Amino acid sequence: MIQDYLFPTSVEEALKILVKDPEKSKVIGGGTSFYIDGKELAKDISYFIDLGQIKELGEIYEEDGFIVMGANTTLTQCSKNPLIKENYPALVKASANLGSTQIRNMATVVGNIVNGKPFSDLATVLMALDAVFTIEDQDGSRETKVKDMYHKLGISALKATELVTKIKIPKRVQGEGSAFQRLEIREGLSFPVINVAAKLVVDKNIIKDAVVTASPLAPGPKVIEAIGEFLIGKEATDDNFVEAGLLATKSIKFHTSPLNCGAIAGVTCKFENCHYCLNPVPSTAQYRHEVLPVLVKRCLSLALEEIND
Amino acid sequence: MSLKKISFFLNGEAKDVYANPGDMLVDVIRDKLGLLGTKVGCKTGGCGACTVMLDGLAVNSCMIPVGKVAGKSVVTIEGVAENNELHPIQEAMMEDGAVQCGYCTPGIIVSAKALFDENPNPDSEDIHRALEGNICRCTGYIKVEEAIVKAASNIRKEG
């Protein structure tokens, strides 16, 4: 039962409160995912620690070659911010299409990663953009990449006494473009069947860098290494993008979503590594593997179109 | 049961309510403050029947712990009409018959108001995006969109 709802006004204060009783505290950003799958958890929680009043976490600014986004940035703010729009078309696309307007007005970018969901749109994009998370606790701060933000299926690697305070993304370089594709059963308010994000750096039509990521794969999204290895040094042509798509499907392993987990009935799933929780949209591994090349090709072509001169 | 005093602005008026800060905003609005216009549909942020405005933005009141709104401004469907005059979107929805069973209507009107407050001149895509989170099981979306287009044009004429 909730005893108190606290609004710390600085990161130091938030960490001080958090460390008192970390197991019984819940850090709230937007709070949207908590009320979807957290109703049962709420029984064990005594304190909500809301970061909404910490002003320093609400800013988006440029610093030392990075765009820095505070942990309170909502998806709406992210998708409309001029710095983000200028630098990361993929991030704008992903944050402008997640959930619904009502959800995007509350939900934070950081929350979409720290809730540990394997089908996170934002994690897929941030991994492709090589984002760095700043995590603070009372002993200091550390930095980590998206791949180290996941502990196991559905559980983030964030410790109970830690807070994510900001995300740093390297600024767009000359000739860089990015794109995001989400296969979904309807537009809006749905979980993805597959997410694919791509970052491409091209100089005189020769590919200098190519990073393609996909989800849902346990526990977080994955970089499809084979694509980078294949594309770098080659020409940015449709044929090469098609080939990259075919390579993708050989180098990652999707799962079929079974329909026998408690989460369907609204009960918290008790299985470890449950494939339904991993892929909540009913779909088969075979289907996912067949459509992946199309999405990868589309994503790379869109990233090429987005390249700045 | 641990009750706390939570103060916020509801439809422009300062309110103090004694509630558990973990209670959902929609439950407090309906059960403690007696405003029944805000509907409860899915309670998982999927239907938009519970849409209210929080500091000017459309949000799902079924996903917000009431503790979070302390000091903030909440506008429900009851606060959309001002000075006993219906909002142009309310007029247009009545005139166009953009209501079937009516359960989703308060949420749709609040979403549309949030849209107009931000952008008085929305195009079709803006309207679709603003209503993306409002589900109408009678599937009356076309008339709703027409009513919003009409309301926007009426607002421009008045303005």
Side-chain angles (χ1 to χ4, degrees):
Chain A
M1 182 54 71
I2 307 300
Q3 303 294 324
D4 210 350
Y5 196 100
L6 305 158
F7 285 106
T9 51
S10 68
V11 173
E12 293 72 45
E13 192 190 343
L15 289 169
K16 212 184 209 175
I17 304 171
L18 187 57
V19 81
K20 277 189 213 156
D21 200 351
E23 301 306 324
K24 287 198 172 296
S25 300
K26 174 76 188 166
V27 176
I28 295 276
T32 50
S33 62
F34 184 75
Y35 273 100
I36 293 180
D37 52 23
K39 280 173 201 153
E40 279 185 50
L41 301 172
K43 287 180 202 147
D44 305 325
I45 287 174
S46 300
Y47 304 102
F48 277 143
I49 302 174
D50 194 311
L51 305 182
Q53 309 273 327
I54 306 179
K55 291 214 168 54
E56 60 190 273
L57 299 186
E59 292 166 358
I60 300 179
Y61 54 93
E62 196 179 330
E63 189 181 74
D64 303 334
F66 288 88
I67 302 295
V68 184
M69 196 193 297
N72 283 342
T73 306
T74 64
L75 297 170
T76 300
Q77 288 162 353
C78 174
S79 66
K80 292 185 176 171
N81 183 277
L83 282 174
I84 305 289
K85 278 183 167 173
E86 193 185 308
N87 281 279
Y88 319 111
L91 191 53
V92 172
K93 172 99 197 262
S95 52
N97 288 291
L98 190 147
S100 64
T101 303
Q102 288 96 319
I103 291 171
R104 291 190 294 270
N105 282 340
M106 292 302 289
T108 62
V109 174
V110 169
N112 194 241
I113 287 94
V114 297
N115 71 15
K117 295 284 184 284
F119 41 82
S120 162
D121 300 7
L122 276 298
T124 313
V125 172
L126 290 171
M127 181 179 261
L129 296 173
D130 203 24
V132 180
F133 291 74
T134 303
I135 297 176
E136 293 189 35
D137 67 6
Q138 286 217 302
D139 300 327
S141 71
R142 64 185 174 101
E143 293 196 330
T144 178
K145 298 269 177 96
V146 178
K147 73 175 167 56
D148 298 317
M149 289 297 291
Y150 294 85
H151 172 54
K152 58 182 183 179
L153 184 63
I155 311 224
S156 96
L158 197 67
K159 294 191 192 85
T161 52
E162 291 179 326
L163 286 179
V164 175
T165 52
K166 56 194 176 193
I167 305 177
K168 285 162 53 179
I169 316 172
K171 273 190 71 183
R172 185 179 200 169
V173 297
Q174 184 72 27
E176 176 184 321
S178 63
F180 174 67
Q181 286 285 294
R182 181 185 214 263
L183 183 67
E184 50 198 353
I185 48 172
R186 59 170 188 236
E187 280 182 40
L189 274 175
S190 64
F191 291 124
V193 178
I194 303 182
N195 285 327
V196 179
K199 184 181 89 169
L200 204 57
V201 183
V202 173
D203 182 25
K204 299 189 183 78
N205 213 33
I206 299 297
I207 298 168
K208 296 290 170 195
D209 195 10
V211 185
V212 177
T213 55
S215 66
L217 295 154
K222 283 199 172 81
V223 175
I224 309 173
E225 306 279 359
I227 295 183
E229 288 161 16
F230 169 75
L231 283 179
I232 293 171
K234 292 209 170 56
E235 273 188 63
T237 60
D238 273 2
D239 285 350
N240 281 333
F241 292 164
V242 169
E243 190 66 25
L246 295 171
L247 271 175
T249 213
K250 285 181 206 146
S251 51
I252 57 174
K253 192 172 177 299
F254 283 117
H255 294 282
T256 295
S257 324
L259 294 171
N260 57 1
C261 124
I264 291 176
V267 184
T268 303
C269 180
K270 301 280 191 296
F271 299 116
E272 215 167 278
N273 289 322
C274 168
H275 286 178
Y276 175 78
C277 293
L278 172 59
N279 300 313
V281 176
S283 184
T284 62
Q286 189 194 3
Y287 176 70
R288 289 188 162 100
H289 280 282
E290 285 194 20
V291 293
L292 180 67
V294 180
L295 292 172
V296 167
K297 195 261 158 192
R298 221 179 261 174
C299 219
L300 286 165
S301 300
L302 283 169
L304 186 63
E305 281 175 28
E306 291 286 357
I307 283 175
N308 56 346
D309 299 309
Chain B
M1 192 69 175
S2 151
L3 296 183
K4 290 266 165 190
K5 179 174 153 186
I6 297 158
S7 306
F8 62 101
F9 292 89
L10 182 66
N11 298 329
E13 271 178 50
K15 290 269 179 199
D16 296 330
V17 59
Y18 289 86
N20 185 290
D23 288 348
M24 285 180 203
L25 178 59
V26 66
D27 292 339
V28 173
I29 289 172
R30 287 178 57 88
D31 301 343
K32 299 226 169 190
L33 296 165
L35 296 183
L36 301 179
T38 305
K39 303 300 182 206
V40 177
C42 65
K43 278 209 171 179
T44 52
C47 76
C50 68
T51 303
V52 300
M53 279 162 68
L54 180 62
D55 283 350
L57 297 174
V59 298
N60 292 313
S61 60
C62 72
M63 302 178 104
I64 297 175
V66 67
K68 198 175 182 62
V69 307
K72 294 192 160 83
S73 157
V74 176
V75 175
T76 65
I77 182 67
E78 289 87 352
V80 172
E82 280 176 40
N83 307 324
N84 274 335
E85 281 206 16
L86 291 180
H87 189 276
I89 176 64
Q90 291 172 305
E91 296 272 9
M93 285 189 71
M94 279 177 7
E95 283 168 16
D96 282 22
V99 176
Q100 289 188 51
C101 85
Y103 203 81
C104 67
T105 307
I108 286 181
I109 291 174
V110 173
S111 286
K113 178 168 174 9
L115 169 68
F116 286 141
D117 288 355
E118 194 198 335
N119 173 10
N121 205 357
D123 63 20
S124 175
E125 174 162 5
D126 297 332
I127 296 171
H128 289 182
R129 289 188 68 84
L131 295 190
E132 196 174 51
N134 293 85
I135 289 178
C136 168
R137 285 293 86 145
C138 311
T139 73
Y141 298 110
I142 291 174
K143 290 207 168 198
V144 169
E145 188 183 341
E146 285 169 0
I148 291 175
V149 171
K150 187 171 177 180
S153 112
N154 288 345
I155 289 174
R156 280 197 300 276
K157 274 183 216 153
E158 282 172 25

